[in-house]
Amino acid sequence: MKQYLFALLGTFVLFSCSKNNDGGSSTPTKGQLLTLANWTIESSAFRLGTTDYPLPITSCLSDNIFTFRSDNTGTMNEGTDICSGSQQSTNFTWSFANNETAINISGVSIAGVSGQFKLVELSTTRLSLGRDTTISSVNGTFIVNFKH
């Protein structure tokens, strides 16, 4: 009988232990998602309302590698196809703004645009940034989509 009670108690203790002892959530933060891996430009578009109109991406931009680090610095590497007048590698800084709904990027441009971007989407595999702009007197949002 004692062996049965010890086995039952041992099973209870074994299954009641939690693997997450810090009491925190297993959902990654936006900072963790951003710094998880390198990003490359997948596509860009001009958004009018809910419709995206694709914009071409030159080959010298599509192979750029963006690395965001947890210390709010980053590096943009031009890859093998270096855009005219660009350096192989450029350092930048980044920070979240507006309660992590926007991101400030300084020291480098993304597809010719720099400054503050709306954080449209951020997941383990996708980063989508938006910036309100006007093209040919039409107001819309410039969208750049990144992937791992």
Side-chain angles (χ1 to χ4, degrees), residues 50-69:
T50 59
T51 304
D52 286 354
Y53 296 92
L55 297 172
I57 299 174
T58 63
S59 62
C60 74
L61 291 177
S62 65
D63 72 341
N64 290 1
I65 301 165
F66 293 83
T67 304
F68 292 83
R69 291 186 286 278

Side-chain angles (χ1 to χ4, degrees), residues 9-21:
L9 182 61
T11 302
F12 175 75
V13 170
L14 178 67
F15 287 107
S16 65
C17 291
S18 171
K19 288 187 176 187
N20 187 357
N21 293 330

Side-chain angles (χ1 to χ4, degrees), residues 39-89:
W39 298 95
T40 57
I41 297 175
E42 179 179 40
S43 63
S44 67
F46 186 67
R47 181 172 289 169
L48 291 174
T50 59
T51 304
D52 286 354
Y53 296 92
L55 297 172
I57 299 174
T58 63
S59 62
C60 74
L61 291 177
S62 65
D63 72 341
N64 290 1
I65 301 165
F66 293 83
T67 304
F68 292 83
R69 291 186 286 278
S70 59
D71 66 353
N72 295 86
T73 65
T75 304
M76 191 273 302
N77 187 299
E78 282 281 335
T80 56
D81 190 357
I82 300 173
C83 294
S84 178
S86 295
Q87 300 175 16
Q88 180 66 51
S89 182

